[in-house]
């Protein structure tokens, strides 16, 4: 029974990750490289989560996984996936024979973060609120308002300011935006 429940949960999770990675550009920004994560159990349940071209895709190929997570039973896998504190579950599982991890362990934390971002009831989806009385403009009665120099907005740097121009050209993001190839991980 728990094997069917785990397989259903993994299918729903894979669909949800694929949908969010297609629909949400902020989520897609976190998918910076191609990754393969393989979850399996001793009960015979197996699912691969593949990130390709900044999207989660359904891929059942036998390519080597960057992270392989094997659980003793489907119940252990469900407890891990649905846990509010997966890091503690992982540490507990590593000290007992319930969980076997091979590959890059940092990807486990990354993957758990993507799961929490994709779930609609996640604690990461809190609405942002503006605090009452927040400062959106200079306060006229402030004693220090005259000490702050306010300059008009410009679209370009002053061409006479040579040190700013050379400093800007050394910024890596600026170089990539102007055609330099990014360094792979």
């Amino acid at each position: 029974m728990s094997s069917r429940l785990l397989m259903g949960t993994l299918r729903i999770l894979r669909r949800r990750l694929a949908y969010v990675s297609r629909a949400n550009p902020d989520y897609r920004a976190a998918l910076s490289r191609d990754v393969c994560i393989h979850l399996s159990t001793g009960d015979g349940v197996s699912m691969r989560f593949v990130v390709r071209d900044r999207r989660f895709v359904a891929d059942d190929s036998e390519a080597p996984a960057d992270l392989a997570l094997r659980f003793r039973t489907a119940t252990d896998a469900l407890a891990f996936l649905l846990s509010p504190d997966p890091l503690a579950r992982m540490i507990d599982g590593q000290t007992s024979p319930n969980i076997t991890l091979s590959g890059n362990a940092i990807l486990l934390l990354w993957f758990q973060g993507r799961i929490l971002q994709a779930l609609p009831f996640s604690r990461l989806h809190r609405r942002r609120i503006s605090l009452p009385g927040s400062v959106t403009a200079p306060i006229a009665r402030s004693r220090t308002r005259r000490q702050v120099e306010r300059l008009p907005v410009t679209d370009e740097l002053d061409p006479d300011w040579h040190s700013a121009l050379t400093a800007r050209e050394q910024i890596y993001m600026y170089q990539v935006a102007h055609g330099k190839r990014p360094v792979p991980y």
Side-chain angles (χ1 to χ4, degrees):
M1 180 66 178
S2 60
S3 296
R4 287 184 182 178
L5 184 61
L6 175 64
M7 197 61 189
T9 303
L10 290 175
R11 284 182 182 148
I12 290 170
L13 180 62
R14 185 159 76 171
R15 285 187 193 133
R16 180 70 186 162
L17 290 173
Y19 170 74
V20 173
S21 69
R22 277 193 324 269
N24 188 342
D26 294 334
Y27 187 82
R28 207 171 25 254
L31 307 176
S32 58
R33 66 178 192 152
D34 294 352
V35 176
C36 179
I37 297 171
H38 184 229
L39 278 87
S40 61
T41 67
D43 303 345
V45 177
S46 178
M47 178 79 58
R48 296 174 75 84
F49 296 91
V50 179
V51 175
R52 188 178 310 127
D53 299 328
R54 292 187 176 252
R55 295 216 167 128
F56 273 97
V57 294
D59 185 12
D60 293 324
S61 67
E62 292 300 320
D66 298 312
L67 170 68
L69 209 58
R70 181 155 179 86
F71 298 93
R72 189 172 50 100
T73 63
T75 307
D76 294 335
L78 275 171
F80 173 76
L81 285 173
L82 302 176
S83 172
D85 190 10
L87 183 59
R89 280 267 185 204
M90 190 64 202
I91 292 170
D92 291 343
Q94 286 292 317
T95 57
S96 68
N98 295 344
I99 301 174
T100 307
L101 175 84
S102 62
N104 189 352
I106 298 297
L107 284 176
L108 179 64
L109 296 175
W110 174 86
F111 182 61
Q112 192 67 29
R114 300 300 71 79
I115 290 172
L116 289 177
Q117 270 185 310
L119 296 178
F121 52 84
S122 169
R123 57 189 155 98
L124 296 177
H125 283 284
R126 294 186 180 140
R127 271 187 22 200
R128 293 182 183 169
I129 57 170
S130 296
L131 296 175
S134 61
V135 178
T136 57
I139 300 173
R141 63 183 181 275
S142 172
R143 287 185 271 163
T144 60
R145 70 172 168 40
R146 289 188 185 99
Q147 297 173 353
V148 177
E149 183 180 0
R150 289 184 174 73
L151 300 174
V153 177
T154 61
D155 291 331
E156 294 183 11
L157 290 175
D158 184 8
D160 296 331
W161 193 14
H162 298 290
S163 60
L165 292 171
T166 56
R168 179 182 66 179
E169 291 170 359
Q170 294 175 358
I171 297 173
Y172 186 69
M173 288 173 45
Y174 181 81
Q175 294 172 0
V176 170
H178 285 84
K180 182 177 179 182
R181 293 189 50 90
V183 178
Y185 288 103

